[in-house]
Amino acid sequence: MSVDLEDAPSFPVPRTVPYQPPESYRQISSRGPLNKVTLWDKRRVWLVTGYAQGRRLLSDPKLSADRTRQEYPTMAPHLGAQAARKLVLVGEDPPIHDIHRRLLNPEFSLKKARALAPRIQELVDGLIDDMLAAGPTADLVQSYALPIPSLVMSELVGVPYEDHKFFQAATAGVMQAREPAETEAAGAQLAQYLGTLVERNLTEPGDGVIGRLVHYVQAGTITAAELTQLSMVLMIAGLETTSSMIPLGVVTLFAHPEQLAAFISGEVPVQTAVEELLRYLAVTDFAAVRWVTDDIEIDDVVIRAGDGIVVSSTMVNRDESVHADPHVFDISRGNRQHLTFGYGIHQCLGQNLARLQLETAYRTLFARIPGLRLAVPFEDLRMRSSGTMQGLESLPVTW
Ligand code: HEM
């Protein structure tokens, strides 16, 4: 395969339609599954748009997720901040990654997620009661999409929900800042806040993940600082993703009325519909960013040690060899082959919990407010302009 190294288009490019990749992404992937793109800092990296190639590379131990190394590609200016580079778990390689992951895995099993289902339902119903009492018209981002994961993650991790304004702003500050200084400040505030909680749990263990993991600190397996960092990663990863995905999914259903009707009628199981939303929306846009520690040969291309690799979930999920008519949104598709949750050792820890929240959020919303519709013309919806996570500024709805 030949790759044109001279013509490396800009990446990432903002979406204009919430559920469609920019035109340039389609052009890039039409050239083949492995291409070069140019980042904001002029660095050239590999962009993977093929599903098989994405999985093959993300299971290769020659890929490193260590963000503290200068070889690690910085995808946006704010991600150059220390607070975004020194992330435990997601930014670690084995063996330390395995140690941290093993501590957390039991907290995020399918069984644990299922046990939370009644509580998640109760929280979601409570938010709809509030919306119905205050409306009609609501901003679905503020009234629904942000509070769902905030309530769920605060209960799960053991963070007081009363502090939600602070931790929502701080996690958004890390992820969606425009400047590295903003990310640094938000990261420092969040670390200080969670550090105090960890200290408190050391003497009075609460019933969240922090309270359950403090005995590893007492036993010397990890330090209090590591537990603070782990809870920080959980809060960032758990809040930004799910809260961005809920409104994007609602808008995608609004834009495809026949699919929405099939969803509301129950013709298609909610799990199948959510899987298609996950595939189609690829909310993180790129599932993984890595650098290569040793040469890798793939499809007759040599990826050199030190090269950066970005796996585009947006385009991998639309690989024609895996999905027929990949650009068509079809909630009955029933094909779970997508990389929205990544692949390999860093595959999303919270995916069971994410699926459960999304299923409950969409099902309950349309069941309890069947006449739900946009309160503004579709063209007036604005994608968030900062950060790399795909999301809407607001989603005004009425009923
Ligand atoms: C729609 C929702 C979500 C999406 C699309 C998503 C996506 C992803 C992706 C693509 C990765 C892999 C990153 C990489 O390989 O570099 C990842 C990792 C991770 N996710 Fe999620 N995520 C979601 C929800 C959640 C939730 C609810 C949690 C709750 C705690 C969570 C926690 C994590 C953690 C801790 C990691 C790092 C795992 C590791 O490095 O071993 N995510 N997620």
Side-chain angles (χ1 to χ4, degrees):
M1 201 186 96
S2 81
V3 176
D4 183 354
L5 299 183
E6 293 311 308
D7 178 22
S10 291
F11 186 91
V13 173
R15 285 185 197 172
T16 46
V17 180
Y19 47 82
Q20 292 294 11
E23 189 47 41
S24 68
Y25 285 22
R26 295 193 194 201
Q27 281 164 11
I28 297 169
S29 56
S30 70
R31 300 176 188 177
L34 297 166
N35 283 282
K36 285 252 173 163
V37 290
T38 308
L39 304 181
W40 64 279
D41 57 0
K42 305 276 181 282
R43 174 149 180 216
R44 291 189 171 189
V45 297
W46 294 93
L47 186 75
V48 183
T49 59
Y51 179 75
Q53 290 77 7
R55 290 195 353 156
R56 146 90 173 79
L57 285 166
L58 288 178
S59 30
D60 196 316
K62 289 185 222 149
L63 256 57
S64 169
D66 184 349
R67 297 160 189 231
T68 61
R69 294 283 298 251
Q70 54 102 11
E71 292 92 333
Y72 187 90
T74 309
M75 299 303 291
H78 70 284
L79 297 176
Q82 279 302 309
R85 285 198 168 262
K86 271 191 72 69
L87 288 179
V88 293
L89 199 73
V90 71
E92 290 173 340
D93 295 331
I96 188 71
H97 173 267
D98 305 346
I99 295 169
H100 287 152
R101 179 93 189 202
R102 268 201 297 272
L103 298 185
L104 289 172
N105 274 339
E107 300 290 337
F108 291 90
S109 64
L110 187 55
K111 202 169 149 208
K112 273 271 165 67
R114 287 198 176 137
L116 285 174
R119 181 65 184 136
I120 294 177
Q121 185 66 60
E122 199 181 330
L123 296 172
V124 168
D125 273 321
L127 292 169
I128 295 203
D129 290 342
D130 294 347
M131 252 184 358
L132 288 173
T137 75
D139 172 11
L140 212 67
V141 171
Q142 292 300 330
S143 316
Y144 199 61
L146 271 170
I148 293 174
S150 298
L151 284 160
V152 171
M153 290 306 293
S154 59
E155 282 200 12
L156 185 74
V157 178
V159 173
Y161 184 69
E162 306 86 87
D163 299 334
H164 68 278
K165 286 219 162 61
F166 163 74
F167 62 73
Q168 279 171 1
T171 50
V174 175
M175 294 301 292
Q176 296 164 27
R178 285 169 207 275
E179 302 287 333
E182 238 180 285
T183 297
E184 219 67 276
Q189 283 171 2
L190 198 56
Q192 196 191 14
Y193 171 81
L194 292 168
T196 310
L197 272 183
V198 168
E199 287 301 325
R200 196 181 309 155
N201 274 266
L202 279 166
T203 45
E204 295 164 49
D207 56 7
V209 172
I210 298 179
R212 284 193 293 277
L213 295 192
V214 281
H215 70 94
Y216 289 112
V217 177
Q218 279 140 355
T221 315
I222 52 170
T223 62
E226 273 171 295
L227 184 52
T228 302
Q229 292 296 317
L230 285 170
S231 45
M232 183 158 151
V233 165
L234 291 181
M235 292 305 281
I236 295 172
L239 252 60
E240 286 298 300
T241 44
T242 314
S243 62
S244 301
M245 170 83 195
I246 293 171
L248 285 179
V250 171
V251 157
T252 308
L253 287 163
F254 281 155
H256 298 83
E258 71 304 340
Q259 302 289 315
L260 178 57
F263 179 74
I264 292 175
S265 71
E267 206 176 292
V268 178
V270 62
Q271 292 84 351
T272 312
V274 164
E275 220 51 47
E276 174 68 351
L277 282 165
L278 285 163
R279 176 191 80 87
Y280 203 62
L281 288 167
V283 62
T284 52
D285 191 25
F286 36 90
V289 180
R290 304 282 189 269
W291 63 276
V292 177
T293 57
D294 212 342
D295 292 2
I296 296 178
E297 219 185 303
I298 173 168
D299 290 5
D300 300 329
V301 170
V302 179
I303 300 185
R304 299 275 173 214
D307 281 0
I309 294 189
V310 178
V311 179
S312 162
S313 38
T314 298
M315 294 318 295
V316 157
N317 292 358
R318 293 172 184 232
D319 181 334
E320 279 173 1
S321 66
V322 178
H323 301 281
D325 298 326
H327 298 293
V328 171
F329 175 57
D330 174 5
I331 61 164
S332 64
R333 190 179 287 272
N335 183 336
R336 291 168 63 98
Q337 290 176 291
H338 62 72
L339 293 191
T340 297
F341 290 121
Y343 193 72
I345 61 167
H346 292 281
Q347 194 176 45
C348 182
L349 174 74
Q351 58 182 291
N352 297 316
L353 188 64
R355 286 191 171 97
L356 181 64
Q357 290 181 79
L358 295 172
E359 286 160 21
T360 314
Y362 298 131
R363 192 189 50 232
T364 313
L365 184 67
F366 289 108
R368 292 203 47 201
I369 321 181
L372 191 79
R373 59 189 188 282
L374 274 180
V376 295
F378 182 82
E379 299 68 42
D380 288 359
L381 296 176
R382 291 280 161 270
M383 294 296 282
R384 244 182 353 232
S385 58
S386 59
T388 54
M389 184 86 62
Q390 304 300 305
L392 291 166
E393 295 274 3
S394 66
L395 179 53
V397 289
T398 191
W399 51 88

